[in-house]
Amino acid sequence: MKYYMRIIIALISPCILAKQTTQLQNQKGDVEIFEKEDIEERNIKKEVKVTKTEEKIPSSWNLNKEGYHEFLDEINQTKLELNGTISTGLIKVQNSNFGAGSVDAKNAHIVNQNPLWSEYVFTPRIRFAVGLDNKSIAYGRLSSVGATTRGQGDASAISTTVRRPTLVAYEEVVAGWKSGELTSTPDLVDISFGQQCFTAGDGFVLGLGTVNAYKRAAFFLGPRSAFKDTAVLAINPLPAKAQIFHLRTNTNQQLLFNTDQPKTSIYGAYIEYASMDPKKKESKYWNAGLILMKFYKADKEASDPSQKNRDGLLVINPMIGGNFFPNNRDIRFHAGCVYQKNNKIGQKTKAYAYYLEPGYTFSNLWGSPLLFYRYSHFSGDSAGSVKKSYDPLMFACGTRDGYGTWETGQIQSSFYFSNTNQNVHNVQLKLTPSDKYVFGVQYFHINFDKLYQYNIKSKAGSRELDAYFTWTPNDYVSLTAIGGILKPKSGIKQYTIANSNSVSPSKIGKTVYMLGLMLTYTL
């Protein structure tokens, strides 16, 4: 019996052992699965922790593309931007006012023949924006300008800054709202109020609300431009856009010794259509625009006769510009005209201006040279009860094609004759070897339109040659050097002699030379 029991045990033992081994292996497998799951769970937790650390920081400081130090609080949808610029200029003029010299506004016996002066400007800026629950944005801007002039003052016929003025005043105080992502088109609607800088179209008629002279200092650098009492509604359904605006010039006769432009209140609109480049966001091939303005209230007195008759003035300004030829985008053309009309009794005006500007960019050559010719006409006054001299209005200097876009000569336009009663042939060459360097040459052939306006016998005005160079080594520093030579002709000589009684006519008619160096540092 024992023998048989031993045989049975021997037969079933391998089965029991195999079963136990299988159970142990299963248990081990279960343990491995549990361990694997535990390890995966730990890894997941670890990944979650890593993911949390890689989330965007709720608030941070950084430098944005516009040069502002930006503080962004994503949790509260708030953005604060800080920026400041320090600018300085050193300018030397030889034979100011064509040899007659620059006269002190308060003391005609003080005359500077070859003034040398410096200008210093500090402009701090603050911008902020708050995201609202409906995805729209409330925003604001604050800025001020501190400016001073040292040395002998600017080279105008009557020097406006010879007394070394200094002035600190706020520039922009703006509150606004824009639609943000409230509609499918970002920022479709933008509404703003306050004192702010504003330019319509190409700046040919509207862009400078504040005159930089006398106690405002920094005549040449011209840091101030804001309008007062502004209300601007902008609608931007690209590729079209529209602006409806109310503005008032920042006129202060006390600061400018009764030489400021007339205090002028304006309402108007600007509409534009643009052909966009599909390969470059917000880049235009060409655009066409129209400005309509009504000067519904203005001072009737003006130190500059061309600025009289603003009360009730209607201004119409169509314009086109850009690269119109699809097969050759190097060909470009700009043009614009201005019609000024006033039927108010005692303010009757009928004046006009226009410019034609063909150009070509040699994009395959070193520096991509831009060569263009611009003919500008600004009507002059003649005898009669209707004023026909063109009012320069508030044109912006700008840098669309070089230096001082709408100035008719860096010397003549800056110091002596503005954009009225002139016919101007202008040839310019601009080279851009890199983003850091820009070089340009400008030539102006200027004649007067009407003899009556300046009571002269010759329309021959002047010939001016200017050159400029700008170096921008980084995002913070910009250095510009500019030089010019202005040769007066018989018409200017006659005008200067008639308005400089204390100077011998034999000393008048000299060539004017200018050299300037401007440095800007962005904080």
Side-chain angles (χ1 to χ4, degrees), residues 84 109 176 186 292 472:
H109 296 291
L292 298 172
T472 310

Side-chain angles (χ1 to χ4, degrees), residues 6 29 69 86 131 285 288 308 310 353 418:
R6 289 175 181 175
H69 297 276
I86 298 174
Y285 281 137
K308 291 181 178 180
R310 281 190 178 180
S418 190

Side-chain angles (χ1 to χ4, degrees), residues 149-170:
T149 298
R150 290 294 179 264
Q152 297 172 310
D154 63 83
S156 304
I158 300 177
S159 180
T160 71
T161 54
V162 69
R163 295 281 169 166
R164 301 181 179 181
T166 298
L167 180 67
V168 178
Y170 66 89

Side-chain angles (χ1 to χ4, degrees), residues 13 29 83 115 202 227 229 450 459 480 513:
S13 291
N83 171 279
D202 57 12
F227 290 87
D229 299 342
K450 301 293 182 182
K459 291 184 177 181
T480 297
Y513 302 91

Side-chain angles (χ1 to χ4, degrees), residues 372-406:
F372 69 88
Y373 164 79
R374 180 190 299 149
Y375 176 75
S376 305
H377 169 79
F378 306 92
S379 64
D381 209 359
S382 55
S385 59
V386 178
K387 173 180 169 290
K388 295 181 180 178
S389 60
Y390 176 78
D391 186 336
L393 301 177
M394 307 99 187
F395 73 91
C397 295
T399 55
R400 173 168 65 83
D401 296 313
Y403 198 84
T405 301
W406 301 121

Side-chain angles (χ1 to χ4, degrees), residues 55 66 91 109 208 244 263 305 309 327 428 443 450 520:
E55 287 179 352
E66 297 177 83
I91 305 98
H109 296 291
L208 188 65
I244 301 172
K263 183 184 294 185
N309 297 10
N327 296 328
Q428 295 198 33
Y443 175 73
K450 301 293 182 182
T520 299

Side-chain angles (χ1 to χ4, degrees), residues 206 245-247 264-269 291-298 310-316 341-344 394:
L206 193 60
F245 55 85
H246 175 275
L247 312 167
T264 308
S265 297
I266 310 163
Y267 61 78
I291 296 175
L292 298 172
M293 294 191 296
K294 180 71 173 182
F295 293 16
Y296 70 90
K297 185 178 181 181
R310 281 190 178 180
D311 189 35
L313 186 68
L314 173 67
V315 178
I316 303 172
K341 179 73 173 179
N342 195 342
N343 289 324
K344 205 168 185 178
M394 307 99 187

Side-chain angles (χ1 to χ4, degrees), residues 44-62:
I44 290 171
K45 289 180 179 179
K46 188 176 180 181
E47 288 175 3
V48 169
K49 289 180 180 179
V50 171
T51 302
K52 285 183 178 179
T53 59
E54 291 177 352
E55 287 179 352
K56 291 182 180 179
I57 300 172
S59 59
S60 63
W61 283 98
N62 63 79

